[in-house]
Structures are given as structure tokens and as C-alpha cells.
Amino acid sequence: MVLVPAGPFIMGNNNDFYDNDNDEKPQHTVDLPAFFVDRYPVTNQDYQAFMAATGHAPPRYWPASGGMPPGKADHPVVGVTFADATAYAHWKGRRLLTEEEWEKTARGTAGLRWPWGSVFDERKANVGTDTTTPVHAHPDGASPYGVFEMAGNVWEWTDTWYELYPGSPPNRTVQRFTGGKVKVVRGGSYSSDIGSARGADRGNKKIDEPGPSLGFRTAQDVPGYESYAAALKARSAAREAQAAAALDITEYAEHEPARALAAGAARTLQQADGAFDGRDFAASERQAGEARTQFDAAREKALDYKRQVMAKKAADTEEQLVRLETALKAVPDGLSPEQQALKTDAEDNLRRGREFFDEGGWGFAGMHAFIGLRQLENLRKLAGP
């Protein structure tokens, strides 16, 4: 199953010449909660598993033996009534889609004619043929949500009674079928024309009339969907924290405690991913938040060690620079030209050492302090005993 997020979409059409029944007016916006939907129509193989588990009767057009049609395990099941489709959905802990959910899944939020766009492409759907095809036969014909076979192959039951849309112009032909007489079916079939395979096209069927080109797919509500977006954000933040920690945690021995914390955080993040896949979004959000905190703590532990080392380096370098500065102040007057040159060089090294120290370049600062002290030592040697 795939998730169709909550939010509005454009439903119906006002002036599409493919609308032969004039039952798609008026075009209107519908705001739906999130739901899960089968990526593919229910197949013969799926339905056979349902029959084996429940003792349910086979579809109308299966062989008399009760086995599935030969060579069509991965084709959509057909010949099922509304009650058959509903029974299968309940067995799976699911339900049929509403008409609104079906159209949003097929058209996305932009009101596309067909799942892939508004220009028909015969390579992307099974339309105008004489039989079904495998449900994975048209990988390029997916809807904006990655749902397949929503144009052609088989019509699909929905859970919605066929009625005119609110605000629709009077339509005596359509009104003959309204009032709880037939259910909406959607998507067209292998034997349909391309107009019937549009996402907005509406068909109808009596609930006890199976058809040789009528199948279905299932849907499921999303409990706790309000936590879905929050869980996505929390998992993303945890992974950003993980990446940041990886930059500061090395394989050196001193970072072993930080590595242990990061490993625990990674396990917590795996739990968050598992909870998300299991649709427990609230738990996923909580666990991802814990993982982020753990990654941040691991990084801080590594940085704390670095800070301690760098603080000692800074203190040692400062001590060297102070020694150089103190030694320079103690140099007497009356130096020879050679001694004066050494003193001048030592003063220059003190200046450069201070500049590097202020920039955080303690290695360079310490080097200049060391050179300056050596120069003063040479100066003293020139002065004699």
C-alpha cells in the first residue's frame, strides 16, 4: 500500500468533451484525510489466498474447478460482486475506496486526465484490447502517488453510491440511477475507450452484478495521521544529527565513548524507522527524537574531548608566548648589531605568534614562540659568560 497524504484536490470536470454522461460537473475541490491504498488492483492470486483462508466462493468467471484462470495469477481478479470485494477488504482489515479517494489517487492534486498526464499514451495502460494484463505490465502509467493500473485493465468498485455532484445541472439520464441504486465504479477497463479510462470518468454498477472486466483494490485509514508529518520531520532531523556526529567522531581510542553513544542512537533510529513502516507514527516521532538527542550527546562528548585537548594546547602555547615576552623584556641595552638582529627577530616571532594565537592557530603560535626563545638563547650565548 502507499500513502495518499491529507489535503485538497480537484475533482470532476466542467467541459471535458470526453464526459459523455455529463455527470462530472461541477468541477470542485475536495479536502480528504490521509489514507493508504493498494499499489495494484487485487489479483487472482490474492483472491485465491482469501478463498483458501475463508472458504469464500470463487468469482463468477473462474473455471468450474474453482481454481484461478490458468496463467493469470498476477492479473486483476474480475467477476466479483460488491459484497465479494467488501468481504475481501474486511478479511485484510481494510475497506473499499470512496469515489473521492479513488479520483484523488488517480489524478493527484492537479486534475490530470489520466494518471500520468493529460495526453493519452497507449503504452501506459491496457485500453481497447480483449483481455486483462498483469498488474505490473505498465510501470510508466503510475499515478502521482505511485499507484498502478488506475487507467484501463479493469473497472474498480468503490464504496460510494452513484449520485450527482452537489451543484450539478439537472440530468434526467443520470437521475435514473441515483437514490442508492448503483455503486460508482472507476477507471475503465481493457475493453473501454480512452475517455472511460480517465481519472474523472464515472461508471456505475448494481452491487450484485459482477462483470468480466470489473475488479477492485482496497484502502485503509491512517490512525494517528496527525503524527505522520511530525514523524517524517523528526526522522529527518535525527539523520542530520547522525551525519553531523559522524564528522566529529573518529575511530581513535579517545572517541570510544562517543562511538558507543552514536551506535545506540543508530539503533533507536532503526526502531523509529520500523515504527514508521508499521504506521505507528507517534512512536516513530518519539523514538526519532530520542535518537536525535543521543546523536547530539555523542557528538558533544567527542567535541568535549577535543575542547579539553585544545584548551591544554592553548594554555601551553600561551605559557610559551609569555615566556618569550618576559625574556624579551629582560634583554639589556647596549646590544651588538648581531645581538640586536636576534632580538628584532625574536620580537617579530612574538608578534606573529600572538597573531596566530588570536586566530586559534596554536601550532603555528607555539612554533614562533619556540623560535623566538631559541633566538634569545643564541643572543645570550653571544654575550658570553
Side-chain angles (χ1 to χ4, degrees), residues 317-318 321 324 347-366 368-369:
T317 304
E318 174 65 18
L321 291 170
L324 175 57
E347 290 172 336
D348 185 58
N349 275 300
L350 176 62
R351 178 185 59 78
R352 296 177 68 186
R354 285 294 183 192
E355 289 176 353
F356 279 116
F357 185 87
D358 291 341
E359 294 171 358
W362 298 311
F364 288 109
H368 284 289

Side-chain angles (χ1 to χ4, degrees), residues 118-183:
S118 294
V119 177
F120 188 77
D121 187 337
E122 63 182 7
R123 298 167 299 179
K124 296 180 179 180
N126 178 19
V127 175
T129 67
D130 58 4
T131 188
T132 57
T133 50
V135 296
H136 48 74
H138 304 95
D140 295 330
S143 81
Y145 301 106
V147 180
F148 295 86
E149 302 298 297
M150 300 206 79
N153 214 358
V154 294
W155 289 95
E156 297 181 11
W157 286 109
T158 76
D159 196 32
T160 301
W161 293 105
Y162 184 70
E163 299 287 346
L164 286 169
Y165 291 153
S168 172
N171 189 323
R172 293 179 62 185
T173 300
V174 170
Q175 287 170 336
R176 294 172 57 193
F177 299 97
T178 61
K181 297 175 183 175
V182 291
K183 289 285 187 178

